[in-house]
Amino acid sequence: MSKAAVTLIWPGIAPILKQEINKSILPPNLKRLLKTARFTADETRFQRLLVNQFSDEDITALDLPLASLFGENLLFADPCHLLADRDRLILFSEDLDISKDEKLALMAEIQPLLTEFKANFIENDNSEHWLLQLEEKPNLTLTALEDVSTMGLEEALPQGADRQDWLRLWNEIQMQLFNADVNQQRIAQGKLAINSVWFWGMGQLSLDHDRWSEVVGTNPLLSLLAQSSNADLKAEIDYSNLLENRNYLCLLDEVDLESDWISQLNIQDEIIVKPLLKQCKQAKISQLTLHIPDYGYFELKSLDCWRFWRY
């Protein structure tokens, strides 16, 4: 019977590792793992990295076809704030603090503009995305929202035969939202106005249904991917007692760099990294892989644990 194999994804620690001075204060087991494992640089961002763990093949296109996880002929039109900065636009899409009433009011402002495109907003309380139901898919090449900040907004705008029509719609939405009452109220409350949306997520996602025996974590996207690929999803597991012949994918909590990140690393080091290293050294795990979004991945096999000269 084959041994267990474990893949960890640990978001948020790339900025820590990119600062050489921080490496001396890393917790002991994480430091040992990083020193003994084989490293491959890879700056893939979190969502794409996570999706590729479930996809039949790595997705290299600009867009990520995640809307298909919610149904057929869907497109994301996610809320965002555009800020003019000299000769360019900057897009903000995180931590916008949008209430359900604000969401419904903003969708109502935009919906009349969608009639020409045979598209309608649909309600889905289980999704953090704003979903558009399309009668037919446009001829567009889109860019995943999380990648926009690394490209520049102009380079990320839609391409394809229907580009001009959808750019016109995008501009009309911005004009419609500019004077929307809900945005005036948000500004008065010190919040950012929701003055645009970002279209992305189109296409069909082809999933590998046999890759993972168990998936561990509480992230909403992870839950969707596990459910869609028929993987067994758990909120937590005993990392000191993994079963043979099982492939585990474990998504660790993202490190909050605004708080005491050293304590956060120490906790994960003790309850996750330490028992996994022990099992790997005892050959109970065939391979331990640590993916760090925006940084790279570390691969450790049992024999690597005895490379004392790397400590």
Side-chain angles (χ1 to χ4, degrees):
M1 182 175 289
S2 61
K3 306 297 184 182
V6 180
T7 296
L8 302 176
I9 300 178
W10 201 346
I13 68 173
I16 298 171
L17 298 184
K18 289 177 180 178
Q19 297 293 326
E20 192 66 30
I21 193 173
N22 292 330
K23 294 182 179 179
S24 63
I25 58 174
L26 294 175
N29 299 291
L30 176 59
K31 188 184 299 185
R32 181 175 300 170
L33 171 59
L34 301 185
K35 283 186 175 181
T36 55
R38 291 169 172 82
F39 174 69
T40 302
D42 182 0
E43 295 188 351
T44 302
R45 306 194 72 184
F46 169 68
Q47 276 194 343
R48 187 176 299 272
L49 173 60
L50 182 57
V51 172
N52 281 340
Q53 304 307 309
F54 292 86
S55 178
D56 279 336
E57 56 185 29
D58 284 355
I59 300 172
T60 58
L62 291 175
D63 202 8
L64 283 174
L66 297 185
S68 63
L69 294 172
F70 299 92
E72 297 295 326
N73 284 352
L74 293 178
L75 176 68
F76 293 148
D78 282 342
C80 57
H81 175 80
L82 295 182
L83 176 66
D85 179 38
R86 297 183 180 179
D87 59 346
R88 63 183 183 133
L89 285 173
I90 302 175
L91 182 148
F92 298 92
S93 62
E94 297 183 2
D95 302 321
L96 293 177
D97 188 21
I98 306 172
S99 70
K100 183 174 182 179
D101 287 343
E102 288 174 332
K103 172 183 175 180
L104 293 176
L106 291 165
M107 285 181 172
E109 291 279 351
I110 298 170
Q111 183 59 57
L113 303 174
L114 302 175
T115 303
E116 175 189 347
F117 294 81
K118 299 179 180 179
N120 294 281
F121 279 115
I122 61 173
E123 278 296 301
N124 189 327
D125 292 336
N126 295 322
S127 172
E128 60 186 8
H129 302 287
W130 291 14
L131 297 170
L132 281 183
Q133 183 73 62
L134 305 173
E135 188 170 305
E136 58 184 36
K137 292 181 181 178
N139 187 337
L140 291 174
T141 299
L142 303 172
T143 300
L145 181 57
E146 76 165 354
D147 292 327
V148 173
S149 61
T150 65
M151 300 179 57
L153 195 60
E154 291 297 324
E155 299 174 4
L157 291 176
Q159 302 295 323
D162 293 328
R163 163 187 166 87
Q164 292 303 324
D165 288 339
W166 281 78
L167 285 179
R168 173 172 57 82
L169 172 62
W170 188 57
N171 288 321
E172 289 175 351
I173 289 173
Q174 293 171 47
M175 290 187 287
Q176 182 68 29
L177 295 180
F178 182 77
N179 289 317
D181 290 342
V182 64
N183 272 329
Q184 300 308 311
Q185 295 167 9
R186 286 179 60 86
I187 293 171
Q189 296 167 6
K191 297 180 179 180
L192 291 177
I194 307 303
N195 56 15
S196 187
V197 298
W198 189 256
F199 301 117
W200 71 286
M202 188 170 62
Q204 189 64 39
L205 181 61
S206 179
L207 298 175
D208 183 345
H209 290 74
D210 299 315
R211 183 175 302 182
W212 304 111
S213 309
E214 292 187 19
V215 175
V216 184
T218 58
N219 176 274
L221 177 56
L222 178 74
S223 300
L224 270 172
L225 290 166
Q227 179 181 358
S228 300
S229 62
N230 299 323
D232 185 14
L233 176 66
K234 295 184 177 180
E236 57 184 31
I237 62 170
D238 182 1
Y239 288 93
S240 64
N241 187 29
L242 300 180
L243 301 176
E244 291 186 336
N245 200 31
R246 306 283 281 178
N247 290 324
Y248 295 88
L249 174 66
C250 308
L251 176 57
L252 280 60
D253 293 336
E254 181 173 3
V255 175
D256 182 3
L257 299 177
E258 299 299 321
S259 60
D260 184 359
W261 56 263
I262 295 179
S263 294
Q264 296 172 57
L265 292 185
N266 283 328
I267 291 171
Q268 302 283 52
D269 186 71
E270 184 66 25
I271 65 175
I272 299 176
V273 181
K274 182 179 179 179
L276 288 178
L277 276 183
K278 181 179 180 180
Q279 289 195 83
C280 193
K281 188 174 182 179
Q282 294 174 345
K284 295 181 179 179
I285 294 177
S286 61
Q287 181 166 305
L288 173 61
T289 305
L290 170 62
H291 285 276
I292 300 173
D294 304 298
Y295 190 78
Y297 59 93
F298 297 82
E299 293 178 305
L300 185 72
K301 297 182 183 296
S302 296
L303 287 177
D304 298 327
C305 297
W306 299 93
R307 297 162 71 194
F308 299 110
W309 61 90
R310 296 292 302 274
Y311 289 6

